[in-house]
Amino acid sequence: MRTICFYFQVHQPLRIKPYRFFDIGADHYYWDDYSNKSIIRKVAQKCYLPMNALLLELINHYKGGFKVAFSISGVCLDQFEAFAPDVLESFKRLVATGHVELLSETDSHALCSLKSKTEFKRMVNNHREKIKKHFNGYEPKVFRNTELIYSDKIGGMVAEMGFEGMLTEGAKHILGWKSPNFVYENSIDPNLKILLKNFQLSDDIAFRFSNKTWSDYPLTTEKFVNWINALPREQEVINLFMDYETFGEHQWAETGIFEFMRALPNAVFKHTNYGFSTPTEVVRNARPIAKINVPIPISWADEERDLTAWLGNDLQNEAFAKLYEMENRVANIDDDEIQRDWNYLQTSDHFYYMCTKFFSDGAVHSYFSHYDTPYDAFINYMNVLSDFILRVKIREEKLTQAAE
């Protein structure tokens, strides 16, 4: 079996509105509804709607021979439901073909797998329920953690939850001389199969496609097919993992990205011995060649492929620690608004905006952030968190008074 596995991450955070120190204790609504709606609608028109239509066209044309997979964060599903029901319907049509797989993840695209097994499981179960609700009882079999964050320990927790496979980055410092183009096993529980992103070929599409200074510009289907044909025959699977917003948002329509994707399946079928598979098909049909050992968490972010995009400085670590100090206290409070805000405050993007990298990946971080500086992001978040902590304290006092 030689196959290509396309996986797309679909995520939009709920952005926090400007929140001043003087708002603490006075304003308990944190979310910038205007910006969130505007961004969802903009990305819908540039990416989600045209790309979903293209994928549906390809699936129907090749009668199921072309397949892809998505993970859609719960916080993104919530925004589709509120601001872009047409986008949600277009994803439902794709899934209804039977040739599009949905993966499981944390509900709010959170970093809880690094902090709390209890919260991690709760978040995953919440996401499972949203997938069932929106997609006619669909139950994912493969897991994709936030930003492909993975370690042996995280994989062990995922295996405990009954998943058959998990996606992560084919990081050089983990693989060494080995290839990402095989299926591996979790080192704690070999029942969990691990699919590794081929970052070279994935990033050729996701990041370098429109880069005119790239030595291989322009990327054509003929060139791409030649590259995959040149891989050793024993390498079974090419995992192409990327943000879905690659299409039309990060790489504008004018770059030819949609035409590239429209032509790619035909080029693969016509000039290679590859097909297309979903992650579940890969983990069920390919034999793992070895265990993969990842003692320290990796991700698909930045040159380092580590956690420093979210937890690489004192600002981020202080905010992260302060947030998760609240876990047990929030768990005891039966309040829908507090539980909603607890979920959304865990979204990894809030910590990403605080990143102070200014060299190789600084431009990428600036592109995704709506703050002027990482310090503005930290101050705004900590103001909100201070108000949230105050609300929790007030509810605890009321519960104590009621008990007395």
Side-chain angles (χ1 to χ4, degrees), residues 7 9 18 60 78 88 95 108 142 148 152 193 279 282 284 289 337 352 376 378 387:
Y7 152 74
Q9 172 184 292
N60 290 333
D78 293 346
L88 186 55
V95 174
S108 69
V142 173
L148 295 193
D152 299 332
K193 307 304 185 290
V282 174
R284 289 179 176 177
I289 64 162
E337 291 186 357
Y352 189 86
D376 292 333
F378 173 76
D387 183 79

Side-chain angles (χ1 to χ4, degrees), residues 24-48:
I24 299 171
D27 182 0
H28 303 318
Y29 190 77
Y30 312 136
W31 314 107
D32 190 341
D33 290 340
Y34 177 80
S35 291
N36 291 321
K37 181 178 180 179
S38 298
I39 290 169
I40 281 284
R41 290 310 320 175
K42 181 192 76 169
V43 181
Q45 297 305 316
K46 294 181 71 174
C47 170
Y48 301 142

Side-chain angles (χ1 to χ4, degrees), residues 103-377:
L103 308 187
S104 185
E105 65 164 271
T106 58
D107 187 32
S108 69
H109 200 76
L111 302 173
C112 48
S113 62
L114 303 169
K115 194 69 174 178
S116 168
K117 183 176 182 179
T118 300
E119 184 63 14
F120 182 48
K121 287 187 173 182
R122 188 190 72 83
M123 276 274 188
V124 173
N125 287 332
N126 283 357
H127 186 260
R128 277 171 157 167
E129 291 305 311
K130 283 185 184 175
I131 293 294
K132 285 183 182 179
K133 169 190 169 185
H134 291 298
F135 295 96
N136 196 30
Y138 191 101
E139 294 190 32
K141 302 294 189 296
V142 173
F143 187 78
R144 193 246 23 163
N145 199 17
T146 302
E147 305 297 334
L148 295 193
I149 291 172
Y150 176 82
S151 68
D152 299 332
K153 180 180 177 181
I154 292 171
M157 293 191 292
V158 169
E160 283 182 16
M161 288 185 273
F163 292 103
E164 298 178 30
M166 184 171 176
L167 277 52
T168 191
E169 174 69 30
K172 283 183 180 179
H173 66 280
I174 293 298
L175 282 173
W177 57 267
K178 297 188 288 293
S179 168
N181 303 327
F182 294 100
V183 176
Y184 292 84
E185 295 175 347
N186 173 255
S187 65
I188 295 175
D189 188 337
N191 290 317
L192 185 76
K193 307 304 185 290
I194 308 300
L195 301 186
L196 303 179
K197 172 187 166 186
N198 184 313
F199 68 82
Q200 180 68 49
L201 293 173
S202 298
D203 292 354
D204 286 342
I205 299 173
F207 294 110
R208 290 182 281 274
F209 187 84
S210 62
N211 182 3
K212 294 182 180 180
T213 65
W214 178 35
S215 59
D216 286 303
Y217 179 87
L219 180 59
T220 64
T221 55
E222 291 79 12
K223 193 178 293 184
F224 198 80
V225 160
N226 287 338
W227 291 342
I228 65 175
N229 279 333
L231 292 171
R233 294 190 62 82
E234 66 272 14
Q235 297 186 11
E236 292 187 299
V237 56
I238 301 172
N239 295 313
L240 300 177
F241 301 166
M242 61 197 74
D243 288 338
Y244 198 39
E245 295 80 12
T246 294
F247 303 95
E249 174 67 10
H250 304 162
Q251 306 290 341
W252 291 5
E254 292 81 359
T255 66
I257 191 72
F258 290 107
E259 288 74 16
F260 174 84
M261 277 301 297
R262 178 176 279 107
L264 185 60
N266 182 61
V268 169
F269 289 132
K270 198 170 182 179
H271 300 293
T272 79
N273 62 351
Y274 285 87
F276 293 90
S277 299
T278 64
T280 294
E281 290 173 337
V282 174
V283 301
R284 289 179 176 177
N285 296 328
R287 179 177 296 178
I289 64 162
K291 293 180 179 179
I292 185 166
N293 296 299
V294 187
I296 299 173
I298 60 174
S299 77
W300 71 353
D302 297 348
E303 290 290 330
E304 300 89 348
R305 303 300 202 264
D306 60 10
L307 304 181
T308 53
W310 307 277
L311 299 174
N313 63 41
D314 290 342
L315 304 178
Q316 295 166 314
N317 287 308
E318 180 180 344
F320 189 70
K322 195 73 172 176
L323 174 68
Y324 281 99
E325 284 177 6
M326 302 300 296
E327 179 189 351
N328 293 332
R329 296 170 64 184
V330 172
N332 294 322
I333 295 177
D334 184 15
D335 182 296
D336 290 342
E337 291 186 357
I338 285 179
Q339 292 298 329
R340 174 202 65 196
D341 292 341
W342 167 245
N343 286 343
Y344 291 156
L345 285 171
Q346 292 186 61
T347 300
S348 64
D349 301 69
H350 304 313
F351 305 97
Y352 189 86
Y353 301 145
M354 302 174 200
C355 185
T356 51
K357 291 182 180 181
F358 296 117
F359 296 101
S360 60
D361 297 296
V364 177
H365 288 267
S366 296
Y367 173 84
F368 287 107
S369 180
H370 55 288
Y371 293 100
D372 292 334
T373 72
Y375 308 101
D376 292 333

